[in-house]
Each structure stands twice: as C-alpha cells, then as structure tokens.
Amino acid sequence: LFSLISGEIKQTSGWTLYANQTKKHKLISPKNETVEFINITKFSKENNLNRDSIGDLLRGKRSEYKGWTRPPD
C-alpha cells in the first residue's frame, strides 16, 4: 500500500491511485533552489537522502535535513 501512496504503482489489492490524487511536494535544496516532486522514495534515492527523514521534513517534524528545508508557508 505504501508503494501506491508514494506513487510508485497505480493499483494494488483492489486499491487504485488516480492521477489527480497525487500530491506535489516542494523543498528548498542546499543550493537554495526550489524542487518539486511527487514520489518521495524516488526523490530520496536520486538525491542520496533517507526517505524517512525527508518524510519527517515534509510533515514538519524536522526543520532541516542535510541542507534541505521546507519553503515558507
């Protein structure tokens, strides 16, 4: 089910993820660039980051992770 929610797959065990239900995430990179992405797992792997730490950052449990921050609200 996590793979479905994270956007890696579109359907599993009767659950379906529709394209309009995906959420775009935004973070500020260590180079101060705004980066948008949908798939947290893919983003984390591409940037050599820990997926759980990025999730904590997106949920506001962390203010910074390896130079990555959330944009101002």
Side-chain angles (χ1 to χ4, degrees), residues 9-36:
I9 60 174
K10 299 295 181 201
Q11 185 175 19
T12 184
S13 303
W15 291 88
T16 303
L17 178 69
Y18 294 98
N20 63 350
Q21 293 177 334
T22 57
K23 181 178 179 181
K24 283 190 178 178
H25 304 285
K26 288 184 183 180
L27 289 176
I28 307 296
S29 76
K31 296 178 181 178
N32 206 28
E33 299 170 342
T34 301
V35 179
E36 290 188 17

Side-chain angles (χ1 to χ4, degrees), residues 30-44:
K31 296 178 181 178
N32 206 28
E33 299 170 342
T34 301
V35 179
E36 290 188 17
F37 58 96
I38 294 172
N39 187 318
I40 298 170
T41 300
K42 183 179 176 185
F43 170 80
S44 298

